[in-house]
Amino acid sequence: MTASTFPGFGPAVKRLPVPAPLLSSLLADIADCAELKCTLRFLWHEAQQSGAPKRVSASALRTDGVLLQALGSEGEIERGIALAVERGTLIEAGGWLLLRTPQNERAAERFAPDPSPTAVGRPSERPNIFQLYEENIGMLTPLVADELRAAEEEYPAGWVEAAIREAAAGNVRSWRYIEAILERWKREGRGTRSSGKPGRHTEALTAAELLERRRRS
């Protein structure tokens, strides 16, 4: 079976920065395909981030569609990540992945769990909605980040977090579905019965039902 011919890079293709060692000494050292592909895909995710330190949630990489297609399973992705961390290309701390630099090594200390005995029994810090979205739904784009900020201002405290968890539990990982859940809760009340189908809570409606009702409204 012959490989399909790549049409080439068009003038509008975005170019991403790649650390020079990855194209020289590291390229010679990395023999495992999973490690190389996970490292390259991490750099793609990192380039989408703003601010500092730039970090990518490990769960976003494990569920990345491109990597799943390239490597075949989450297990292979996890193995590739582990090899990159073992080599020292990436840092893993508190569920986040960072490119290993002196600045990021210092920043990673903030994300690592507190190992001190005084931390036992201490309530863990709740993740913000951006972290929660990345860990449960997928990559956080600037557009989705703006939608999340607006939703957090519009809806009662805890609703956005609850809607994200509801979408993840139903394995419907999209912002549109989360937005449809929030809009329905706003119209009919969170946790109230659906007037159209007695006995079914609004949270139990399927993605197709919620999106269809949203289109009709």
Side-chain angles (χ1 to χ4, degrees):
M1 180 179 177
T2 59
S4 59
T5 303
F6 183 66
F9 300 101
V13 170
K14 181 180 180 181
R15 300 192 180 193
L16 305 179
V18 177
L22 190 57
L23 301 179
S24 54
S25 59
L26 280 174
L27 187 62
D29 290 341
I30 298 175
D32 190 282
C33 184
E35 179 186 353
L36 181 60
K37 289 185 177 183
C38 285
T39 302
L40 290 172
R41 190 59 176 167
F42 164 84
L43 292 173
W44 183 90
H45 279 280
E46 185 199 46
Q48 316 307 312
Q49 306 301 315
S50 58
K54 290 187 176 182
R55 51 182 177 164
V56 178
S57 71
S59 61
L61 213 60
R62 285 195 299 269
T63 58
D64 181 87
V66 171
L67 278 180
L68 285 171
Q69 185 176 4
L71 297 177
S73 70
E74 285 191 31
E76 274 296 284
I77 296 173
E78 289 179 355
R79 190 176 67 81
I81 293 172
L83 288 171
V85 171
E86 182 181 354
R87 185 178 300 279
T89 311
L90 303 180
I91 304 168
E92 185 167 15
W96 295 99
L97 295 169
L98 302 90
L99 193 69
R100 187 177 182 185
T101 67
Q103 296 88 346
N104 284 349
E105 284 183 322
R106 291 192 293 271
E109 296 176 2
R110 303 201 306 267
F111 309 133
D114 187 351
S116 65
T118 56
V120 177
R122 182 186 301 168
S124 59
E125 183 181 353
R126 292 178 63 186
N128 62 40
I129 57 171
F130 306 113
Q131 179 183 346
L132 196 67
Y133 185 93
E134 283 193 321
E135 292 177 349
N136 291 276
I137 306 301
M139 186 182 69
L140 184 68
T141 66
L143 181 60
V144 171
D146 290 342
E147 296 279 9
L148 284 168
R149 290 189 192 95
E152 197 170 34
E153 292 179 3
E154 179 179 356
Y155 297 102
W159 276 32
V160 178
E161 177 181 338
I164 290 173
R165 295 188 186 280
E166 182 71 24
N171 200 30
V172 187
R173 303 180 191 279
S174 76
W175 166 248
R176 287 188 62 203
Y177 183 49
I178 295 167
E179 189 178 31
I181 291 174
L182 291 168
E183 289 178 357
R184 183 161 185 80
W185 286 352
K186 183 178 181 179
R187 289 196 307 270
E188 301 185 10
R190 183 180 166 192
T192 58
R193 300 281 178 174
S194 170
S195 58
K197 296 186 178 181
R200 297 184 68 195
H201 285 76
T202 57
E203 295 95 326
L205 292 173
T206 67
E209 289 173 324
L210 278 169
L211 293 175
E212 178 63 26
R213 293 189 179 200
R214 184 183 172 202
R215 282 193 291 268
R216 291 178 179 176
S217 60

